[in-house]
Amino acid sequence: MKIGFIGLGIMGRPMALHLKQAGHDLFIPERASLTPELRAAASVLPDAAAVAGAAEVVILMLPDTPDVEAVLFGARGVAEGLNPGTLVIDMSSISPTATKDFAARIRALGCDYLDAPVSGGEVGAKNASLTIMVGGPQAAFDRATPLFQAMGKNITLVGEENGAGQTCKVANQIVVALTIEAVGEALVFASKAGADPAKVRQALMGGLATSRILELHGERMIKRSFDPGFRIALHQKDLNLALQSAKELGVALPNTASTQALFSAVVANGGGGLDHSGLVQALELLAAHKVAGG
């Protein structure tokens, strides 16, 4: 297929290259930040409209809702270049409500739309092992499935209404954030009580408390390894989406709200660029004690 890919950051770059490796033709917009590897792998076009005009499928992987709106509907945006029948796939994590509006506007141009946010972070993007949560019509999903298979492993059509994928991603981010917070609390508690946090983690890995977050992020907390796989600022954005959506639905998310406050404390102290396991730093401040390293 001829694939337009817009949003070539930490996640998007390896995702796009996996599509190239699977035999698809890549079209990307000109950016000063493009690496030589990307320039060699893709046809570089002047802007998003030109990319859309050259592509059968346009994939977006952008930071937030306003970014997606600007790329889709801004000057020389995707909507200006679309040909009827083009499939637009937004793999960003953005507002479910806004997604429904964007999808309706794209469908009005005679095109299809899928929202397909991902989970798995930089590691999942590099290993083509992302979890992909999709909202949109079955026929569009079937058309996109070979592309999803080049980028991920666990691929689910959550619902045939646009926004279903984004709703699922918000739910995912609630679970991930609260589990990171729980692991952080447990390790801070154990360490301040005088136990070896590495041994505590090892013991917990063999019981009901085990999880990928205890395995991966618990280790990060102990080793003080907070280089981002997924930045706190982005997870903070996702929890804002959760809380905004919950307000619209009349649903209380009390622990999501408290975890968001901890993320905000880390961001206020300059940690927005840390991996989301760095949430533990807020808990360490409250305890006046670090899990490890003094």
Side-chain angles (χ1 to χ4, degrees):
M1 290 184 180
K2 296 178 179 179
I3 310 297
F5 205 109
I6 302 173
L8 296 158
I10 289 175
M11 300 282 289
R13 182 167 55 253
M15 291 165 68
L17 292 173
H18 286 312
L19 291 169
K20 177 65 175 180
Q21 290 162 8
H24 302 288
D25 295 325
L26 274 183
F27 299 86
I28 60 177
E30 177 62 69
R31 294 288 186 276
S33 59
L34 291 178
T35 64
E37 183 182 25
L38 282 170
R39 291 184 183 277
S43 298
V44 182
L45 300 178
D47 51 40
V51 168
E56 302 168 68
V57 178
V58 178
I59 297 175
L60 310 181
M61 188 63 185
L62 298 164
D64 204 350
T65 307
D67 304 298
V68 173
E69 184 170 26
V71 166
L72 286 176
F73 304 111
R76 297 299 297 165
V78 168
E80 287 190 23
L82 286 173
N83 300 304
T86 301
L87 172 59
V88 176
I89 306 174
D90 180 25
M91 303 188 77
S92 321
S93 295
I94 69 167
S95 163
T97 302
T99 291
K100 294 176 183 179
D101 173 62
F102 297 165
R105 293 162 71 181
I106 293 297
R107 290 197 307 268
L109 300 174
C111 298
D112 291 321
Y113 193 99
L114 294 173
D115 50 290
V118 303
S119 179
E122 182 181 6
V123 172
K126 287 183 174 178
N127 294 337
S129 60
L130 293 168
T131 291
I132 304 175
M133 304 157 248
V134 188
Q138 181 73 53
F141 175 77
D142 292 342
R143 182 179 172 191
T145 295
L147 307 180
F148 293 147
Q149 290 172 336
M151 296 181 283
K153 298 295 184 187
N154 181 21
I155 302 158
T156 305
L157 180 61
V158 179
E160 292 199 48
E161 295 293 325
N162 286 119
Q166 296 294 353
T167 296
C168 185
K169 177 59 186 292
V170 168
N172 177 84
Q173 295 303 80
I174 292 170
V175 172
V176 171
L178 270 61
T179 308
I180 289 173
E181 195 278 338
V183 169
E185 278 196 22
L187 294 180
V188 168
F189 164 77
S191 178
K192 190 156 188 180
D196 180 343
K199 295 293 185 182
V200 169
R201 173 184 166 277
Q202 180 181 340
L204 295 179
M205 287 292 295
L208 190 59
T210 191
S211 69
R212 286 286 286 166
I213 288 171
L214 177 63
E215 177 186 358
L216 299 176
H217 294 322
E219 184 176 41
R220 283 177 172 268
M221 294 172 191
I222 293 164
K223 292 185 173 180
R224 320 307 293 168
S225 175
F226 299 126
D227 290 339
F230 188 76
R231 291 186 286 117
I232 280 176
L234 290 176
H235 208 146
Q236 183 187 43
K237 176 264 296 184
D238 291 341
L239 292 195
N240 278 336
L241 294 176
L243 294 169
Q244 291 164 7
S245 298
K247 183 177 180 181
E248 293 169 8
L249 295 168
V251 173
L253 300 177
N255 291 325
T256 301
S258 62
T259 302
Q260 178 71 312
L262 294 171
F263 274 138
S264 296
V266 179
V267 171
N269 283 277
L274 299 177
D275 183 79
H276 51 175
S277 58
L279 171 71
V280 72
Q281 293 187 359
L283 297 167
E284 291 170 337
L285 183 64
L286 291 170
H289 179 86
K290 290 184 177 181
V291 168

